């Protein structure tokens, strides 16, 4: 039996997918190749030639059958076959997408604006790019939460949303444009391990910190790429193929393992959601980033 006949027999009962579905399947395949192609590289002199034997033909036929079957099918009486995403590949693709994003630095006196969709409504934040200007958060209920800037080591003290005249306190600037973070995945992973909000080994806490950095901070492209690259190094990651962010946008999700003291009956791990086609960060299952940009003043929108 020749190779073409074997392939025909194996794929004859598999319905053809639409071209758009094949495009996304092809993109996933190329992403896998790109991510694994640089690992475990064998020197050229040690590589073996490919020999197409009968067993090789069977392998090729099986691979083609699998590729066709994994493409979504929408025909009466047929159930689409769900492909299981690899969480490491998803995060590496997210890192690659972040690295290609525009990265114009804001001016020191500008503000990083973010609008997020949350279960109780929409939240808007204006954070000082360099941490020295007074920012503000507009909560979902419409209330305003002041964010005093830190100038010369002192920050304004507020009572509610009103400043106390002449009353300041010691402070350290908290810039929204984070140039202080590592731009390398290994170094970022070490940073997250040393600074995350949970105890050692609490990777769910690390996942929340990753989400917090990705949400309302403006990161240079290399730093954002390092953030997702570091996330790929967390053990016990799980991908959620078909999920939505808090705004209802479909995507692929990544969850972290629960912390050492979390009760699995109560604790709900955060699900970070990326667009399934572009791998751009969307938010989480509880908070979705629906708008962001750089503005000149508090209250402005991009």
């Amino acid at each position: 039996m020749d190779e073409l006949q074997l392939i025909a027999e194996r794929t004859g009962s598999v319905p053809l997918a639409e071209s758009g579905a094949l495009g996304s399947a092809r993109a996933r395949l190329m992403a896998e190749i790109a991510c694994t192609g640089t690992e475990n590289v064998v020197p050229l002199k040690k590589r073996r030639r490919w020999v197409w034997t009968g067993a090789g033909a069977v392998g090729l036929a099986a691979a083609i059958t699998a590729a066709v079957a994994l493409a979504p099918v929408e025909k009466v009486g047929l159930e689409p076959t769900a492909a299981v995403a690899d969480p490491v590949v998803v995060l590496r693709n997210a890192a690659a997408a972040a690295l290609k994003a525009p990265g114009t630095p804001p001016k020191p006196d500008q503000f990083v604006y973010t609008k997020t969709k949350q279960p109780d409504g929409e939240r808007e934040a204006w954070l000082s790019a360099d941490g020295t200007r007074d920012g503000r958060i507009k909560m979902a209920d419409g209330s305003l939460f002041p964010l005093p800037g830190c100038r010369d080591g002192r920050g304004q003290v507020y009572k509610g949303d009103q400043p106390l005249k002449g009353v300041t306190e010691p402070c350290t600037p908290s810039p929204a444009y984070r140039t202080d973070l590592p731009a390398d995945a290994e170094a970022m992973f070490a940073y997250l391990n040393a600074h995350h909000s949970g105890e050692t080994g609490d990777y769910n806490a690390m996942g929340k910190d990753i989400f917090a950095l990705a949400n309302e901070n403006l990161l240079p492209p290399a730093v954002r790429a390092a953030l997702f690259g570091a996330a790929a190094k967390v053990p016990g990651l799980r991908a959620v193929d078909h999920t939505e962010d808090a705004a209802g946008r479909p995507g692929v999700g990544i969850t972290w393992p629960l912390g050492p003291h979390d009760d699995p009956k109560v604790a709900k791990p955060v699900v970070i959601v990326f667009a399934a086609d572009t791998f751009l960060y969307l938010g989480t299952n509880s908070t979705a980033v629906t708008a962001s940009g750089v503005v000149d003043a508090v209250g402005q929108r991009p």
Side-chain angles (χ1 to χ4, degrees):
M1 181 181 295
D2 62 27
E3 292 89 347
L4 293 179
Q5 182 180 353
L6 181 59
I7 292 169
E9 290 184 359
R10 283 180 172 264
T11 59
S13 60
V14 180
L16 294 176
E18 301 294 331
S19 60
L22 287 174
S24 62
R26 186 182 303 110
R28 288 198 301 273
L29 175 61
M30 296 307 296
E32 287 277 5
I33 294 172
C35 288
T36 59
T38 57
E39 298 180 355
N40 302 320
V41 177
V42 179
L44 185 60
K45 292 182 180 179
K46 295 183 179 180
R47 292 178 185 169
R48 296 182 178 179
R49 289 185 178 181
W50 286 104
V51 179
W52 290 103
T53 63
V58 172
L60 174 63
I64 294 177
T65 303
V68 177
L70 285 175
V73 180
E74 294 184 7
K75 293 183 180 294
V76 177
L78 295 175
E79 289 291 331
T81 304
V84 179
D86 182 332
V88 173
V89 172
V90 171
L91 287 165
R92 286 177 176 174
N93 286 340
L99 197 58
K100 295 177 182 177
T104 304
K107 298 176 181 178
D109 61 350
Q110 290 184 305
F111 295 84
V112 175
Y113 170 82
T114 309
K115 179 165 71 172
T116 54
K117 172 70 174 177
Q118 301 181 353
D120 56 350
E122 290 186 334
R123 160 185 164 126
E124 293 179 287
W126 291 265
L127 308 184
S128 172
D130 69 354
T132 67
R133 276 71 176 177
D134 294 343
R136 188 170 70 195
I137 293 177
K138 183 179 180 181
M139 308 300 285
D141 62 3
S143 60
L144 302 178
F145 186 81
L147 298 172
C150 184
R151 294 175 291 275
D152 301 322
R154 307 293 298 183
Q156 175 67 52
V157 174
Y158 283 77
K159 183 177 182 179
D161 60 355
Q162 297 300 315
L164 296 178
K165 188 175 181 179
V167 181
T168 63
E169 61 184 357
C171 63
T172 301
S174 297
Y177 181 58
R178 300 295 302 271
T179 59
D180 59 313
L181 297 173
D184 171 79
E186 291 284 354
M188 178 67 82
F189 186 71
Y191 172 88
L192 292 169
N193 260 322
H195 295 87
H196 73 74
S197 55
E199 61 184 75
T200 302
D202 188 347
Y203 291 114
N204 190 42
M206 183 186 286
K208 292 177 182 178
D209 291 344
I210 290 171
F211 141 68
L213 283 171
N215 251 25
E216 291 185 345
N217 291 278
L218 179 59
L219 307 179
V223 173
R224 182 170 285 258
L227 183 67
F228 297 141
K233 299 179 180 299
V234 175
L237 293 174
R238 184 171 64 88
V240 183
D241 278 0
H242 305 291
T243 188
E244 294 181 346
D245 67 6
R249 296 174 296 188
V252 58
I254 301 295
T255 65
W256 273 253
L258 293 177
H261 304 300
D262 290 331
D263 183 350
K265 296 180 180 179
V266 178
K268 294 182 179 179
V270 64
V271 180
I272 296 183
V273 183
F274 300 93
D277 53 349
T278 63
F279 296 99
L280 292 175
Y281 173 78
L282 298 179
T284 74
N285 54 335
S286 59
T287 302
V289 178
T290 56
S292 61
V294 174
V295 296
D296 293 328
V298 169
Q300 286 185 351
R301 297 172 177 84

